[in-house]
Amino acid sequence: MSQLVLKNLKKSFNEARIIKGIDLEVTEGEFVVFVGPSGCGKSTLLRMIAGLEDVTEGEIEIGGKVVNELPPVQRGIAMVFQSYALYPHMTVYENIAFPLRVEKLPQAEVEARVDAAAKVLQLESRLQHRPGQLSGGQRQRVAIGRAIVRQPKIFLFDEPLSNLDAALRSEMRIELMELHKRLGSTMVYVTHDQVEAMTMADKIVVLDAGEISQVGSPLELYHRPDNLFVAGFIGSPKMNFIAGTVASADGTTLSVDLGALGSIDLPRSARLGVGDAVTLGIRPEHLSLSKSEFTLTVTPKIVEHLGIHTVAYATLPAGENFIALFEGAPAIAEGELSGVSFALDQAHLFDQAGLAVY
């Protein structure tokens, strides 16, 4: 069953078109992440679902009901914001209970819901503390608890971890994933951090300039990006791109001229014409110092030794930046020629329009 359905959803501010026609279905219990660079429209889209932004055109369905005209409180959603938005003069208990007080629920039910949320979030010992006595992670858990007690159909998260330091962000990611498993609720999460998206999502929605660029599981987007934008956005470090032209194509093999780097024969059935501009993509982690099917000669200008892996940065003859990621501490040095290799089945190819060629 589709818990959330967006149909040709659009949003404009005067002449500025922010959301340009979004069609999306989120099934019950899914953890869906909206990801994209700043300004792509992901937070605006989330606020439209929440009822905090008006819809210019299209429909939002929650639980099979069109909610365009309903206020946020009647949509069956609960939202967790980037800022904790806690009341500093209230205890943790009263902060979590606040939305239930607004609904004028009986005291017994308020107590039961707050106690249940506190247990899930391991806040039992903090219920009589005030926000100023809590760590950043604990404050975010209180904000999440305030959402849990409403027992919503859908949880909405707007970059809830961006104010936390790196170590705490990693811990909170795990806590949110465990929370999702315990509650089994539908969750829609917005972030600009593709690592968060890859580690947390059942389904990722990649947004680019107000449009969906691709929807899929994390591994689908990683292994089979539909276009250059997704290929460059998903993965860390980002995919290397090398400009080339089609030298020959026989229906089973494409020969691509990479200029000073030589030519590469790829098993591709796409009918591209000789002379067509293409882009070769290879992920940094798929490169090796061991001999493989295709080898590039590069001169690293910077080498980072990080213990668990080594990152080498170079510039290719045509000016493209090039990154290689190796396990451990291999024998590669700054300023010295090195041959880096990859298997042909790990190479990606994109046509002149930026669409993937498989």
Side-chain angles (χ1 to χ4, degrees):
M1 174 184 174
S2 294
Q3 188 83 350
L4 171 67
V5 180
L6 308 181
K7 297 180 180 178
N8 193 32
L9 203 62
K10 298 180 182 179
K11 176 66 178 178
S12 298
F13 294 100
N14 297 322
E15 299 301 316
R17 296 173 63 220
I18 307 302
I19 303 297
K20 302 174 183 176
I22 299 291
D23 292 289
L24 180 69
E25 291 191 17
V26 177
T27 58
E28 188 170 356
E30 269 192 315
F31 195 128
V32 176
V33 176
F34 295 166
V35 70
S38 296
C40 70
K42 55 189 183 295
S43 288
T44 299
L45 184 58
L46 195 75
R47 289 172 64 83
M48 292 168 72
I49 296 168
L52 302 176
E53 293 284 358
D54 293 332
V55 173
T56 302
E57 189 177 327
E59 289 184 349
I60 299 171
E61 288 184 9
I62 295 177
K65 180 180 180 180
V66 177
V67 300
N68 289 39
E69 304 303 323
L70 293 182
V73 72
Q74 295 179 20
R75 294 193 178 197
I77 58 93
M79 190 161 178
V80 179
F81 296 90
Q82 181 176 347
S83 61
Y84 314 129
L86 303 179
Y87 296 104
H89 63 288
M90 290 184 179
T91 63
V92 168
Y93 181 97
E94 288 302 330
N95 266 284
I96 295 175
F98 185 79
L100 305 181
R101 304 281 192 214
V102 173
E103 292 182 38
K104 295 183 170 54
L105 294 184
Q107 179 61 23
E109 186 168 356
V110 171
E111 290 180 2
R113 290 198 193 185
V114 173
D115 288 344
K119 185 176 181 180
V120 166
L121 297 167
Q122 300 177 7
L123 288 170
E124 299 104 313
S125 64
R126 297 289 188 175
L127 287 176
Q128 298 310 314
H129 293 191
R130 286 184 167 80
Q133 299 172 285
L134 306 180
S135 68
Q138 289 169 335
R139 292 180 199 178
Q140 193 58 277
R141 287 208 295 271
V142 175
I144 294 168
R146 191 169 50 193
I148 288 175
V149 294
R150 296 189 59 199
Q151 299 178 349
K153 296 175 183 175
I154 302 174
F155 286 90
L156 305 178
F157 295 90
D158 190 6
E159 303 199 44
L161 309 185
S162 60
N163 288 336
L164 306 179
D165 62 50
L168 192 51
R169 204 158 54 234
S170 178
E171 291 177 13
M172 284 300 297
R173 279 205 310 265
I174 294 170
E175 288 189 22
L176 281 173
M177 288 188 285
E178 290 177 343
L179 178 66
H180 177 246
K181 289 178 181 178
R182 285 197 296 269
L183 297 179
S185 302
T186 305
M187 295 185 176
V188 180
Y189 186 103
V190 161
T191 182
H192 64 276
D193 186 340
Q194 57 94 15
V195 174
E196 279 185 22
M198 291 289 289
T199 54
M200 299 175 74
D202 297 320
K203 181 163 69 183
I204 296 176
V205 180
V206 183
L207 293 167
D208 179 24
E211 299 179 296
I212 292 178
S213 193
Q214 188 173 352
V215 177
S217 71
L219 291 182
E220 284 172 349
L221 269 59
Y222 178 84
H223 290 296
R224 290 184 69 86
D226 282 349
N227 50 63
L228 275 170
F229 178 80
V230 175
F233 194 83
I234 298 296
S236 181
K238 67 180 294 184
M239 184 182 289
N240 295 299
F241 295 122
I242 306 171
T245 56
V246 176
S248 65
D250 62 11
T252 58
T253 302
L254 278 175
S255 181
V256 179
D257 181 5
L258 301 175
L261 296 172
S263 62
I264 182 171
D265 294 329
L266 296 172
R268 297 290 189 278
S269 59
R271 294 288 182 178
L272 294 177
V274 174
D276 285 352
V278 291
T279 301
L280 177 73
I282 183 69
R283 295 200 180 278
E285 59 271 27
H286 290 160
L287 294 163
S288 170
L289 293 176
S290 301
K291 192 75 173 177
S292 189
E293 293 175 284
F294 188 79
T295 301
L296 298 167
T297 301
V298 298
T299 304
K301 54 185 180 181
I302 298 291
V303 176
E304 296 177 338
H305 298 283
L306 303 176
I308 191 172
H309 55 244
T310 298
V311 187
Y313 301 86
T315 302
L316 299 181
E320 301 105 334
N321 291 323
F322 190 80
I323 304 174
L325 177 66
F326 309 108
E327 291 185 5
I332 187 167
E334 296 175 5
E336 295 184 5
L337 283 174
S338 297
V340 293
S341 300
F342 59 88
L344 296 182
D345 62 1
Q346 292 175 324
H348 299 261
L349 193 68
F350 305 91
D351 64 18
Q352 194 165 4
L355 301 178
V357 176
Y358 292 112

